[in-house]
Amino acid sequence: GLNSINGNIPSEIGLLSHLTSMYLYKNKLVGSIPSEIGLLRKVERFNVRNNKLSGTIPSEMWHLDQNTKTMMLRSNNFTG
């Protein structure tokens, strides 16, 4: 986090099949979370809080493996 990363989370994120932690908090990310996020079956920690993400949270996120221990989405502009 805290890297001043801006832009969208690319759909190619789903190709990172061995990713276990994703810390993108306190950046300048915009757009929606791509549905391909559901392909990250090994993610234990997912943190995108304090960005400018919007849209609905993709239902694919709720199908992540039970290994997911932490999911932080607050302080964005999600709807639905």
Side-chain angles (χ1 to χ4, degrees):
L2 291 170
N3 295 307
S4 296
I5 298 170
N6 59 45
N8 297 315
I9 298 174
S11 60
E12 290 82 6
I13 192 84
L15 299 174
L16 301 174
S17 59
H18 296 288
L19 188 72
T20 58
S21 297
M22 184 169 158
Y23 293 102
L24 294 173
Y25 62 93
K26 291 188 178 180
N27 283 290
K28 298 174 184 175
L29 296 173
V30 297
S32 59
I33 296 176
S35 60
E36 290 82 0
I37 208 82
L39 298 172
L40 302 178
R41 299 291 182 184
K42 296 184 179 182
V43 166
E44 295 179 3
R45 291 167 181 80
F46 181 83
N47 187 339
V48 294
R49 67 183 165 88
N50 295 88
N51 279 286
K52 295 180 181 178
L53 295 168
S54 59
T56 58
I57 297 168
S59 61
E60 290 82 0
M61 286 193 71
W62 311 124
H63 301 290
L64 294 175
D65 194 1
Q66 291 184 355
N67 287 334
T68 305
K69 297 175 175 82
T70 305
M71 185 177 297
M72 301 185 91
L73 305 171
R74 71 176 183 253
S75 299
N76 281 289
N77 298 312
F78 295 119
T79 59

